[in-house]
Amino acid sequence: MQKLTLGIVLGAVSLAVSACGQGLLGSDDAEDSGPIVIGMVVPLSGASADIGPYMKNGAQMAVQEINARGGVHGRKLELRAEDGACDPKTAVAAASKLVAAKIAVSVGGYCSGATLPTLPVFDRAAIPMIIPAANSTELVEQRLKHVFLLNGTGDQQALAAMSWMAKSGAKRVAVLHDNTSYSKDIATRTTAALDEPGGPEKTGLDAVNPGESDYSANIANVLKTKPDFIYWTGYYQEGGLLVRQFRQAGYEGDFMVGDGSVDAKLVKIAGAKAAEGVYATMTQTPGTIEGAGGWIASYKQKFGSEPGPYSTQSYDAVRVAAEAIGKAGGTDGDKVAKQLEAIDGFPIFSGPLRFTPRHTLSNGGFVILVVKDGAFELHDALK
């Protein structure tokens, strides 16, 4: 996975927004001197409420830095965040509020199941979406011209999972999901790969009901198949319970979780002893990015806390939005979308940015993390 130092990233920001602020790129709405409003739907309540502030703060950090350098075409950026609660109805209502607020670009989206129904809301309004976290392949299967993913897709995550299973010597693999779009997408793609000859054997695919506290029935069903490797593709609340309850039931094999479970809360819920050695398929987190120490320090200084998952992706989403608006000469959504398609090598934390024809990352950027001494850390870059 390619890494960027803080200096390279901020140098690129300075160059891009300075050009915009000096009017070097012609603007079709230069007469509008008001702020360019950037919107985001993130979970600020509900089961995934811990993630929303990381994303909001990362986006706000980019807004502040760009504004300090003159904004875009002399206009300041303004961030407006609405709570999607990882709930489809709540997220649609939040998206509608942002459309009414005349945002130029959306840089939100965490839970795929809640993000999916917001796609037509933004697309009908010709508002580009640069999605930093939600990554179900369903998000791009509709081929909406205003939708772009800044996180690796479900199929890319499944490939990373399969790569690690083979590398770690897994023989018999059980996969569990929670029936949400994100989780089921990864699980389905992983089990399809397991059905191919030559790799680990699939022992089963099971679905749990999110929000429950006792998964003993699911655990008993899985353990009957005698797996030596379990892959959970859902979120950290259920993931922590599953890790703990599988260990309590006597399971001693490897346990791996998807990116929706990469949070300190998983370790807290599972218990430090049970969580130790749990693997994860994940794109970058601040602590795994080479040279990001300065960025992390700046984040802590601004917000008084450590940055968490998807803070860097949200930071980059705002920077990419500003770059496209600057190159488009204004906030016309169709023109901004065309400039997003044309991006070639713009520096973000995961490496030079290029979108595929499906508007996904050309490189998913998934790595393997492991819980060590109570925290997720980089274990294998899958090179």
Side-chain angles (χ1 to χ4, degrees):
M1 183 172 64
Q2 292 174 290
K3 310 292 184 184
L4 295 179
T5 65
L6 180 66
I8 294 173
V9 172
L10 296 187
V13 174
S14 177
L15 179 61
V17 298
S18 295
C20 296
Q22 294 169 8
L24 299 181
L25 301 173
S27 173
D28 59 11
D29 59 353
E31 71 278 5
D32 187 350
S33 58
I36 297 173
V37 184
I38 305 295
M40 68 185 318
V41 178
V42 291
L44 300 173
S45 65
S48 296
D50 289 341
I51 298 294
Y54 297 142
M55 298 177 67
K56 181 180 177 182
N57 290 347
Q60 186 62 48
M61 188 169 166
V63 165
Q64 291 172 357
E65 291 174 358
I66 292 169
N67 286 344
R69 291 170 173 80
V72 180
H73 293 300
R75 298 171 62 185
K76 294 297 180 71
L77 300 185
E78 177 182 304
L79 180 68
R80 176 164 176 171
E82 294 286 346
D83 182 17
C86 276
D87 172 74
K89 290 184 179 179
T90 305
V92 167
S96 298
K97 285 183 183 179
L98 293 177
V99 171
K102 301 187 184 302
I103 66 168
V105 176
S106 166
V107 295
Y110 172 66
C111 292
S112 294
T115 304
L116 274 165
T118 70
L119 265 58
V121 177
F122 289 120
D123 193 64
R124 283 194 299 267
I127 294 173
M129 297 179 71
I130 304 171
I131 302 173
N135 62 356
S136 169
T137 310
E138 289 185 67
L139 293 165
V140 292
E141 286 179 343
Q142 300 174 53
R143 297 190 177 275
L144 299 177
K145 70 176 181 179
H146 298 101
V147 176
F148 297 79
L149 299 194
L150 212 59
N151 191 16
T153 58
D155 52 357
Q156 290 170 326
Q157 185 157 191
L159 287 172
M162 288 297 302
S163 177
W164 178 246
M165 290 172 197
K167 196 170 183 178
S168 66
K171 302 297 183 184
R172 296 173 57 80
V173 178
V175 181
L176 292 93
H177 65 88
D178 63 7
N179 265 325
T180 63
S181 172
Y182 148 79
S183 180
K184 190 173 182 179
D185 178 53
I186 300 168
T188 300
R189 294 174 186 279
T190 302
T191 52
L194 287 168
D195 284 333
E196 296 293 323
E201 177 187 354
K202 179 186 74 178
T203 68
L205 174 65
D206 202 7
V208 308
N209 293 319
E212 295 186 356
S213 60
D214 182 0
Y215 291 108
S216 56
N218 298 97
I219 290 168
N221 287 337
V222 171
L223 292 183
K224 286 178 184 176
T225 68
K226 301 186 183 305
D228 62 5
F229 194 109
I230 295 172
Y231 186 32
W232 162 248
T233 64
Y235 296 97
Y236 62 81
Q237 300 89 348
E238 294 78 19
L241 289 172
L242 286 166
V243 170
R244 186 176 76 203
Q245 293 173 19
F246 265 107
R247 295 306 187 199
Q248 289 173 341
Y251 176 69
E252 297 180 351
D254 286 340
F255 201 107
M256 186 165 74
V257 300
D259 58 341
S261 282
V262 178
D263 190 277
K265 284 289 184 69
L266 179 133
V267 178
K268 183 177 181 180
I269 294 168
K273 183 177 180 180
E276 190 75 6
V278 167
Y279 298 109
T281 47
M282 183 63 184
T283 48
Q284 66 197 26
T285 59
T288 64
I289 300 171
E290 184 180 342
W295 188 90
I296 293 170
S298 181
Y299 181 104
K300 289 170 65 176
Q301 182 180 19
K302 290 178 185 294
F303 305 111
S305 61
E306 293 280 350
Y310 302 108
S311 53
T312 53
Q313 290 91 335
S314 298
Y315 172 86
D316 279 338
V318 172
R319 297 179 52 248
V320 171
E323 172 74 1
I325 291 169
K327 290 290 182 66
T331 58
D332 179 276
D334 291 337
K335 292 181 180 179
V336 172
K338 287 183 179 178
Q339 290 302 323
L340 288 170
E341 290 178 334
I343 283 177
D344 187 5
F346 184 76
I348 62 176
F349 274 118
S350 61
L353 176 62
R354 295 175 184 84
F355 287 111
T356 70
R358 291 199 307 161
H359 294 180
T360 61
L361 293 180
S362 55
N363 180 357
F366 282 98
V367 297
I368 302 300
L369 307 184
V370 69
V371 176
K372 185 176 181 181
D373 297 328
F376 283 99
E377 63 177 45
L378 181 64
H379 183 69
D380 194 300
L382 295 181
K383 295 294 187 182

